[in-house]
């Protein structure tokens, strides 16, 4: 690939039809930092986290264990065994409608964006801090999570991004932090009396979020932490919760704008020790101090540098590039634009041979940019799902895997061919030969050019263009 | 119930029918190099399935106490052997157990001892002693020991790590996209002709499509997945090895509701698989395994957190079933690993290697050193019907 194609396809999201080519590739990338809008006009009407929490509360998704909600669920269950979905799904319809709008807004913004490098970074960080909508309560929150916790911080300090993410109700619900109670906290002591009277289990710690902060969000799995660090971080984080949901959030914490909240009565008293360092702070500051240290830890720098290099350059990234990004991260105290600038300046990032196999969402966005057509609503959600990558549903907090082994598989390629055949049929007037120049400039291979020229119809030519090797890699 | 058979270091064999002996001698008649008619299906439970809620140790006096309301579901359930009870949403497993086609391996684990899903799944799938020790999966390496041309397929839109490796493996999932026309597919083959990676992928994609025999199971539910797997495994030139991924087992909160749904789905999948395989079921071995178990005690949010030992299940007509095999470690806090997890007393690698070796008529020791190098110990004997 020529450098302008690398800028557009490897760093960006594919060429926007009818847009000129950038004269200076590096400058084009750098200037996107200045023009990027964290809250673009297209998002002005999207619901915020508080509205979404109220919707979840209205649906009773936070009270699935209550008898009333159980009975309602059972009355909604279809009789046909094979039509049965997760029981919670029956309650989801309003949240599902929000999800469909969120997906449309996000993908179409990426498909029209003039800051595609930064939009790619938004998706990168959103996947790094993945919350997966297969958990009922997060279905309506994934869009708000990306808009509110990720977008405002992708061009800031990693510590600010981390702090925003770990406080967002989407994350607090996805990794069960909202309900984690210190066993010696005032609330637990109150509850123990009631638990004894009613014979119910006492509230306690849930270490899910603490573990994933260490393993996935910061240090990485070989980052040198132990089970005791997980437990201590989980204790420090008790009290990081939210208003508006659950028995507690509904009853004790009255709030018109439900959102993240530190609730001192849930917090485990006492000093904590994480990675050998003592944290004697009170309340919310304790976990914040730990997060601030984790955010600039050398293991975090190595972990994030490796993931960024893998995303932009190669499944097995050149060690020299990882070192460069790691050093930029550490020297700048985790200043993300400094790391991105280092990436743009790194010769390894401009290797001519395409190394990365496009994930389904990237491929879809590249097509939408090339044709300059929107795909919206349930149709877009369905297409991404059929291509094997339903948006914000990686199924695990590790996010989608970022290597070809996960995406370059027979069934996945067959689906892209099937979809391309359909797109070809729908795009009667399009000329694949002209579009090939839009998509690839001079990087088109002779074999692809010949295949397109010899196609039996314009529709077939489009289909072949969309699944050409050049289209599947960057 | 002290003295109910839960003494440590006893090999518990809960026999469904009287007379079935404990452990059978290994079958050492190794097969001819002709194509196999045996089938193997690996169903992975991603997210750490709770073995203690699948085959509950109701005979352990600690169980009801540390599990609280999670133990209540098992109060009226018929026993499996003397000391265990199957979750009520798994009726097929009860049935298979009665027919001696289900074998439960309890308190089992891979060599992995930390609590990361992703590393543990990597160990479970690649057969290493630690995460990312091997690039290829144990199931891919095993194919090397089988007659040439034995085909393996992933049922789903991606190929899981256990099946990845030097042997070409295909995959097929159910799709609602309209089929591409034959001429387009022919031209795609030409388009990919000079591209090493894509030409191989495309050849496999076309073959997988033929193997599904047009009987595409529409939709994403569990039953449809079982049906599709059965189709892929049924044809004379079809796959002999299949892998199915299931998720949603990470039950930190409100486990009871979530697991009920999971088990009903798994049951649907297995019913569709057994029924779809018809006569081939007699030659089939199904392995169900997860990356690790969950904490012995219920947590503060009516769920359980990441633990260590769990349950593995072997199902199918090929299985020497009707038994629970365990060296039960006990649930007292002094008996738990780090005071919190069920302690592993059996090697998952040894059990898989033993079962694969006997099932396919390959030397179990060779199966073990190929699939799980460095694991130590001997492959478990007698898991497959002689």
């Amino acid at each position: 690939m020529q450098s302008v194609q690398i800028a557009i396809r490897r760093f960006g999201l594919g060429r926007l039809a009818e847009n000129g080519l950038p004269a200076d590739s590096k400058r084009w990338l750098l200037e996107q930092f200045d023009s990027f809008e964290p809250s673009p006009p297209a998002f002005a009407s999207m619901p915020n986290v508080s509205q979404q929490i109220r919707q979840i509360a209205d649906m009773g998704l936070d009270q699935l264990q209550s008898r009333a909600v159980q009975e309602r669920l059972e009355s909604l269950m279809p009789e046909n065994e094979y039509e049965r979905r997760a029981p919670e799904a029956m309650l989801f319809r309003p949240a599902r409608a929000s999800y469909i709008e969120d997906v449309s807004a996000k993908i179409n913004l990426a498909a029209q964006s003039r800051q595609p490098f930064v939009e790619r970074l938004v998706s990168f960080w959103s996947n790094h801090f993945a919350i997966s909508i297969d958990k009922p309560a997060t279905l309506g929150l994934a869009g708000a999570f990306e808009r509110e916790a990720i977008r405002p911080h992708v061009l800031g300090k990693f510590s600010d991004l981390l702090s925003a993410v770990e406080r967002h109700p989407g994350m607090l619900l996805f990794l069960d932090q909202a309900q984690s109670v210190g066993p010696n906290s005032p609330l637990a002591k109150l509850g123990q009396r009631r638990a004894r009277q009613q014979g119910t289990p006492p509230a306690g710690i849930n270490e899910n979020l603490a573990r994933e902060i260490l393993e996935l969000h910061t240090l990485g799995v070989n980052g040198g932490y132990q089970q005791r660090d997980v437990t201590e971080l989980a204790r420090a984080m008790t009290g990081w919760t939210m208003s508006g949901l659950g028995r507690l959030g509904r009853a004790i914490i009255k709030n018109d704008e439900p959102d993240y909240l530190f609730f001192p009565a849930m917090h485990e008293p006492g000093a904590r020790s994480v990675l050998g360092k003592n944290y004697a702070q009170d309340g919310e500051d304790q976990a914040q101090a730990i997060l601030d240290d984790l955010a600039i830890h050398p293991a975090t720098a190595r972990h994030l540098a490796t993931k960024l290099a893998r995303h932009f350059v190669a499944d097995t990234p050149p060690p020299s590039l990882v070192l460069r990004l790691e050093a930029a991260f550490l020297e700048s105290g985790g200043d993300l634009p400094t790391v991105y600038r280092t990436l743009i300046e790194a010769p390894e990032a401009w290797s001519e041979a395409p190394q990365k196999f496009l994930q389904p969402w990237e491929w879809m966005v590249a097509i939408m940019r090339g044709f300059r057509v929107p795909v919206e609503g349930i149709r877009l959600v369905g297409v991404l799902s059929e291509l094997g990558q339903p948006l914000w549903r990686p199924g695990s907090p590790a996010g989608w895997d970022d290597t070809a082994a996960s995406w370059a598989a027979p069934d996945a390629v067959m689906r892209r061919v099937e979809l391309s055949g359909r797109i070809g049929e729908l795009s009667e007037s399009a000329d694949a030969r002209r579009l090939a120049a839009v998509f690839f400039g001079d990087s088109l291979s002779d074999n692809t050019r010949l295949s397109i020229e010899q196609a039996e119809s314009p529709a077939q030519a489009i289909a072949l263009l969309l699944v050409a090797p050049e289209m599947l890699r960057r | 119930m002290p003295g109910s058979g839960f003494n440590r270091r006893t090999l518990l064999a809960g026999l469904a029918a009287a007379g079935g002996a404990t452990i059978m001698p290994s079958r050492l008649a190794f097969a001819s190099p002709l194509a196999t008619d045996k089938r193997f299906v690996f169903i992975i439970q991603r997210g750490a399935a709770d073995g203690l809620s699948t085959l509950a140790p109701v005979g352990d006096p600690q169980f009801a106490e540390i599990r609280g309301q999670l133990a209540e579901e098992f109060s009226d359930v018929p026993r499996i052997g003397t000391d265990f009870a199957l979750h009520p949403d798994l009726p097929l497993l009860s049935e298979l157990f009665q027919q001696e086609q289900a074998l439960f391996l309890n308190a089992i684990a891979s060599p992995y001892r930390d609590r990361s899903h992703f590393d543990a799944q990597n160990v479970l799938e690649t057969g290493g002693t630690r995460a990312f020790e091997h690039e290829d999966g144990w199931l891919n390496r095993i194919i090397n020991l089988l007659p040439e041309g034995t085909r393996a397929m992933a049922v789903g839109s991606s190929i899981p790590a256990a099946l990845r490796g030097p042997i070409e493996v295909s995959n097929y999932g159910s799709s609602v996209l309209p089929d591409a026309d034959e001429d387009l597919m022919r031209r795609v083959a030409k388009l990919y002709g000079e591209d090493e990676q894509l030409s191989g992928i495309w050849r496999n994609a076309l073959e997988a499509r033929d193997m599904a025999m047009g009987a595409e199971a529409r939709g994403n539910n569990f039953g449809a997945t079982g049906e599709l797997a059965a189709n892929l495994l049924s044809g004379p030139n079809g796959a002999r090895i299949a892998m199915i991924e299931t998720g949603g087992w990470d039950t930190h909160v409100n486990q009871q509701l979530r697991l009920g749904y999971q088990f009903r789905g798994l049951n649907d999948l297995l019913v569709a698989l057994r029924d779809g395989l018809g006569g081939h079921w007699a030659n089939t071995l199904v392995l169900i395994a997860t990356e690790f178990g969950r904490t012995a005690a219920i947590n503060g949010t009516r769920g359980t957190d990441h633990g260590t030992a769990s349950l593995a299940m072997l199902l199918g007509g090929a299985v020497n079933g009707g038994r629970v095999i365990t060296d039960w470690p006990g649930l007292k806090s002094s008996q738990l690993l780090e005071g919190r997890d069920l302690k592993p007393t059996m090697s998952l690698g040894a059990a898989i290697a033993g079962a694969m070796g006997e099932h396919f008529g390959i030397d179990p020791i060779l199966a073990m050193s190929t699939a799980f190098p460095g694991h130590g110990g001997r492959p478990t004997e007698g898991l497959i019907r002689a």
Side-chain angles (χ1 to χ4, degrees):
Chain A
M1 289 196 288
Q2 304 158 311
S3 70
V4 64
Q5 289 294 323
I6 293 171
I8 289 173
R9 294 176 47 76
R10 185 177 299 162
F11 287 91
L13 293 167
R15 182 159 173 203
L16 198 55
E18 289 142 39
N19 232 24
L21 290 169
D24 180 333
S25 295
K26 289 184 181 175
R27 207 171 121 196
W28 177 70
L29 293 171
L30 291 167
E31 282 173 355
Q32 295 180 28
F33 297 167
D34 301 324
S35 53
F36 174 72
E37 290 177 299
S39 310
F43 285 175
S45 62
M46 302 302 289
N48 67 20
V49 67
S50 299
Q51 291 163 289
Q52 291 305 97
I53 292 171
R54 284 200 297 270
Q55 184 190 56
I56 294 166
D58 291 345
M59 291 183 288
L61 287 178
D62 55 327
Q63 294 183 318
L64 285 171
Q65 72 280 15
S66 86
R67 189 171 298 275
V69 175
Q70 285 279 337
E71 281 169 7
R72 194 169 143 217
L73 267 175
E74 276 162 27
S75 72
L76 288 165
M77 292 277 259
E79 287 182 15
N80 182 340
E81 283 280 295
Y82 289 103
E83 284 176 9
R84 196 181 53 205
R85 296 287 184 268
E88 303 95 319
M90 295 299 147
L91 295 171
F92 285 168
R93 294 206 177 98
R96 185 155 173 79
S98 301
Y99 169 71
I100 293 168
E101 279 179 39
D102 288 343
V103 172
S104 282
K106 184 238 162 63
I107 294 290
N108 283 289
L109 182 78
Q112 292 157 25
S113 176
R114 313 244 167 185
Q115 295 81 27
F117 176 45
V118 189
E119 292 298 337
R120 180 180 278 286
L121 287 164
V122 168
S123 290
F124 171 84
W125 288 113
S126 186
N127 191 55
H128 176 76
F129 292 111
I131 67 174
S132 188
I133 56 137
D134 35 20
K135 187 153 192 168
T138 53
L139 179 58
L141 283 172
F145 173 77
E146 186 175 297
R147 292 191 293 271
E148 296 167 11
I150 305 285
R151 292 186 70 87
H153 302 289
V154 286
L155 297 176
K157 290 263 185 194
F158 179 71
S159 56
D160 293 332
L161 176 60
L162 182 68
S163 295
V165 160
E166 310 305 357
R167 278 184 176 82
H168 196 276
M171 184 61 80
L172 296 172
L173 285 171
F174 178 55
L175 291 177
D176 309 316
Q177 173 61 35
Q179 313 166 64
S180 185
V181 179
N184 300 302
S185 65
L187 189 75
K189 296 208 160 130
L190 206 72
Q192 277 154 13
R193 271 202 301 278
R194 196 180 50 227
R196 269 198 304 276
Q197 284 158 7
Q198 300 178 355
T200 53
I205 296 261
N206 187 308
E207 64 186 34
N208 204 7
L209 178 62
R211 179 183 306 283
E212 305 307 9
I213 287 175
L214 294 169
E215 177 184 329
L216 300 174
H217 299 171
T218 62
L219 304 177
V221 69
N222 296 316
Y225 63 90
Q226 314 279 325
Q227 173 64 38
R228 62 172 180 273
D229 299 312
V230 174
T231 310
E232 282 287 90
L233 177 55
R235 289 183 182 129
M237 289 197 72
T238 48
W240 288 46
T241 186
M242 56 188 288
S243 52
L245 287 185
R247 199 179 59 201
L248 185 75
R250 285 168 184 251
I252 303 180
I253 312 162
K254 297 275 185 213
N255 192 329
D256 288 341
E257 291 295 320
D259 200 342
Y260 164 79
L261 176 96
F262 180 77
F263 192 55
M266 291 166 86
H267 184 66
E268 178 74 357
R272 305 266 76 91
S273 168
V274 174
L275 300 176
K277 183 170 167 183
N278 192 56
Y279 294 89
Q281 293 85 344
D282 282 331
E284 184 179 14
D285 295 345
Q286 188 174 53
Q288 184 61 55
I290 301 171
L291 289 185
D292 288 345
D293 285 346
L294 291 172
I296 52 169
H297 193 283
T300 301
R302 165 63 60 97
H303 181 209
L304 300 179
T306 306
K307 283 189 78 170
L308 273 166
R310 178 179 300 129
H311 181 76
F312 280 97
V313 178
D315 291 359
T316 307
S320 56
L321 176 63
V322 175
L323 282 174
R324 236 187 264 269
L325 298 178
E326 189 184 342
F329 187 95
L330 283 175
E331 283 161 19
S332 66
D335 181 57
L336 296 174
T338 302
V339 179
Y340 309 148
R341 277 192 287 272
T342 308
L343 175 72
I344 293 168
E345 291 302 330
E348 296 94 332
W350 298 87
S351 67
E352 282 187 20
Q355 303 271 346
K356 294 293 295 182
F357 197 88
L358 260 62
Q359 295 179 20
W361 79 270
E362 302 172 61
W363 183 70
M364 198 59 218
V365 167
I367 292 172
M368 290 165 71
R369 290 173 71 86
F371 280 96
R372 210 138 187 190
V373 287
V375 183
E376 285 169 328
I378 185 71
R379 178 183 243 175
L380 178 62
V381 169
V383 160
L384 290 170
S385 181
E386 284 301 317
L387 292 172
Q389 196 176 32
L391 192 64
W392 299 315
R393 208 183 111 201
S396 104
W400 297 105
D401 183 50
D402 204 354
T403 64
S406 289
W407 303 110
D411 187 64
V413 174
M414 178 61 83
R415 287 171 191 227
R416 291 191 200 188
V417 171
E418 288 171 349
L419 185 65
S420 297
R422 186 78 188 118
I423 295 172
E425 289 165 13
L426 293 172
S427 45
E428 287 165 11
S429 60
D431 180 345
R433 289 164 300 182
R434 189 187 61 77
L435 273 167
V438 172
F439 278 113
F440 311 118
D442 297 336
S443 317
L444 194 69
S445 74
D446 287 345
N447 190 37
T448 299
R449 189 173 46 75
L450 276 173
S451 291
I452 290 170
E453 283 171 2
Q454 293 168 357
E456 67 166 10
S457 66
Q460 193 182 59
I462 293 286
L464 290 166
L465 168 73
L466 298 184
V467 293
E470 295 91 327
M471 186 67 193
L472 299 181
R473 300 196 187 99
R474 60 180 169 96
Chain B
M1 282 182 300
S4 65
F6 267 105
N7 303 321
R8 187 149 162 72
R9 297 288 150 206
T10 56
L11 192 69
L12 188 149
L15 294 169
T22 49
I23 295 261
M24 298 297 210
S26 170
R27 190 183 50 155
L28 291 169
F30 299 128
S32 68
L34 297 173
T36 180
D37 61 350
K38 307 283 186 188
R39 267 79 174 166
F40 172 69
V41 183
F42 177 21
I43 300 174
I44 186 170
Q45 298 173 296
R46 293 193 193 281
D50 185 28
L52 295 172
S53 285
T54 313
L55 186 71
V58 290
D60 189 311
Q62 305 296 318
F63 179 67
E65 189 186 324
I66 64 172
R67 276 278 158 147
Q69 66 190 83
L70 296 181
E72 288 165 16
E73 286 176 287
F74 296 92
S75 52
D76 299 325
V77 178
R79 298 268 171 122
I80 290 285
T82 50
D83 295 298
F84 294 97
L86 265 173
H87 192 281
D89 284 316
L90 291 167
L92 181 72
L93 294 191
S94 274
E95 184 187 329
L96 293 176
F97 187 80
Q98 296 303 325
Q99 296 165 354
E100 299 182 32
Q101 294 187 357
L103 179 58
F104 302 104
L105 304 160
N106 219 343
I108 197 167
S110 81
Y112 180 79
R113 288 293 172 273
D114 291 314
R115 296 182 183 87
S116 152
H117 290 303
F118 320 107
D119 275 9
Q121 286 173 26
N122 184 272
V123 170
L124 172 64
E125 297 192 70
T126 60
T129 54
R130 56 188 163 75
F132 300 97
E133 181 180 353
H134 305 298
E135 288 205 347
D136 47 4
W138 65 261
L139 196 44
N140 192 287
R141 293 195 295 274
I142 282 270
I143 301 169
N144 260 326
L145 306 179
L146 301 178
E148 203 171 329
T150 301
R151 316 172 74 127
M153 293 202 63
V155 184
S157 61
S158 63
I159 297 177
L163 269 179
R164 291 182 194 169
I167 303 260
E168 270 191 13
V169 165
S170 193
N171 70 329
Y172 194 82
S174 48
S175 152
V176 299
L177 292 168
D179 287 350
D181 70 63
E182 295 294 329
D183 187 56
L184 174 59
M185 292 199 284
R186 197 176 53 74
R187 287 170 190 257
V188 169
K190 188 156 169 287
L191 182 67
Y192 293 164
E194 295 168 10
D195 189 301
E196 200 185 330
Q197 180 189 35
L198 286 167
S199 58
I201 287 172
W202 189 244
R203 194 174 56 246
N204 280 316
L206 293 177
E207 286 175 3
R209 201 165 155 274
D210 290 344
M211 272 196 273
M213 298 184 295
E216 187 152 335
R218 302 264 174 200
N220 289 319
N221 61 56
F222 290 93
T225 302
E227 199 182 322
L228 178 59
N231 282 336
L232 294 170
L233 288 160
S234 288
N237 296 315
R240 292 296 173 263
I241 289 176
M243 181 161 170
I244 300 171
E245 299 173 87
T246 64
W249 300 99
D250 195 18
T251 49
H252 286 277
V253 177
N254 294 337
Q255 170 164 320
Q256 219 164 345
L257 182 76
R258 186 74 224 162
L259 267 189
Y261 167 70
Q262 292 290 115
F263 286 143
R264 289 192 293 279
L266 180 63
N267 200 73
D268 288 353
L269 189 159
L270 291 167
V271 168
L273 179 67
R274 181 194 62 175
D275 294 353
L277 281 172
H280 297 305
W281 179 253
N283 286 323
T284 296
L285 167 66
V286 179
L287 162 70
I288 306 179
T290 190
E291 70 264 28
F292 47 65
R294 310 193 66 82
T295 45
I298 188 169
N299 70 10
T301 51
R302 291 171 302 278
T304 48
D305 293 319
H306 301 183
T308 307
S310 190
L311 173 75
M313 299 181 262
L314 298 176
L315 314 173
V319 173
N320 181 16
R323 300 182 293 155
V324 178
I325 295 182
T326 188
D327 176 1
W328 187 250
L331 294 174
K332 282 192 198 133
S333 105
S334 60
Q335 296 169 321
L336 297 175
L337 185 73
E338 296 172 23
R340 55 177 268 160
D341 301 345
L342 184 66
K343 194 180 283 178
T345 54
M346 243 189 298
S347 154
L348 183 56
I352 295 174
M356 293 298 277
E358 291 180 4
H359 183 54
F360 285 106
I362 48 181
D363 179 357
I365 292 173
L366 178 63
M368 180 109 182
S369 61
T370 304
F372 304 100
H375 277 225
R378 290 182 57 81
T380 313
E381 296 179 359
L383 302 176
I384 300 299
R385 205 176 285 283

